[in-house]
Amino acid sequence: MQHPAVPELAHTHARPIHWLATATALAGVMALSAALQPDSATAAQAAGPQTQTTHTDLTPPNPADVTFPLECGPVKAVVVKKASGDLDGDGRPETVAVVHCDAPMGTPPDGVYVLTRASETERPRVVATLADPKDHLTVDTLDLRDGAVHATLLGYSSDDVPRCCPDVTDRAKWQWKDGAFQRTTPAGARSV
């Protein structure tokens, strides 16, 4: 039998005490790493509309998937204009839809509705009525910019004006503020 050139070292033979020391050291490292976890995130969302979206995977709500609060009798409600964007600053797109009853004659009044949904799988729903058809207005233009809804509304100065021919033009702006859509009208925007 030939002897090794290097003498045997004591630490090359695993004894139960070595295993116990290793297990104790490993348990200590795991306990320390669990105790030193970072705090949970506490970032607060800024108030008002944001230009950067955080839910880019969401598509805007589709007005075709919504039942609008309109009484149309034997005809159906039709979406005549729509625009989408993040209006309340939550990173999810909303859709603003201009809807009226598909009347065969005359100029049916429009309703302006804000649609939203929490996720791709949730069905869209109406969360706000910006202009009610009972106000007898027609929406000429609709635009979303700077986190606000801008519209040109056509109306009537009196009940004597034929419903085919609106004679009042009103510019309106709705913006999400303090948990609701608030309407403002630029100065001098109303004309007869």
Side-chain angles (χ1 to χ4, degrees):
M1 174 171 155
Q2 187 176 18
H3 293 284
V6 180
E8 287 191 39
L9 302 174
H11 69 276
T12 60
H13 295 306
R15 292 186 169 72
I17 191 69
H18 293 131
W19 289 109
L20 183 59
T22 303
T24 303
L26 183 60
V29 168
M30 291 177 62
L32 185 60
S33 68
L36 296 178
Q37 290 293 321
D39 292 338
S40 54
T42 58
Q45 182 175 349
Q50 304 294 314
T51 55
Q52 180 182 18
T53 58
T54 56
H55 299 278
T56 55
D57 59 326
L58 290 179
T59 55
N62 185 352
D65 298 334
V66 175
T67 301
F68 292 96
L70 285 172
E71 298 291 331
C72 290
V75 298
K76 64 180 184 173
V78 293
V79 176
V80 292
K81 291 177 178 52
K82 68 179 180 175
S84 298
D86 183 10
L87 298 173
D88 59 1
D90 67 352
R92 293 182 174 102
E94 286 80 30
T95 297
V96 178
V98 177
V99 184
H100 65 231
C101 296
D102 193 14
M105 296 186 312
T107 306
D110 291 326
V112 181
Y113 304 100
V114 179
L115 315 175
T116 192
R117 66 177 169 191
S119 69
E120 285 290 327
T121 58
E122 183 181 284
R123 191 171 170 84
R125 66 189 189 285
V126 174
V127 292
T129 301
L130 303 181
D132 195 308
K134 294 175 186 174
D135 297 332
H136 303 287
L137 298 171
T138 304
V139 178
D140 186 42
T141 64
L142 176 72
D143 184 25
L144 270 61
R145 62 182 184 273
D146 301 325
V149 179
H150 298 263
T152 303
L153 307 172
L154 305 177
Y156 307 94
S157 59
S158 72
D159 288 338
D160 296 331
V161 177
R163 293 300 166 221
C164 66
C165 311
D167 64 340
V168 175
T169 301
D170 189 14
R171 294 189 203 330
K173 174 183 172 184
W174 292 273
Q175 191 149 17
W176 183 256
K177 195 175 198 181
D178 299 326
F181 284 98
Q182 296 181 9
R183 180 181 172 180
T184 58
T185 303
R190 190 173 175 89
S191 64
V192 177

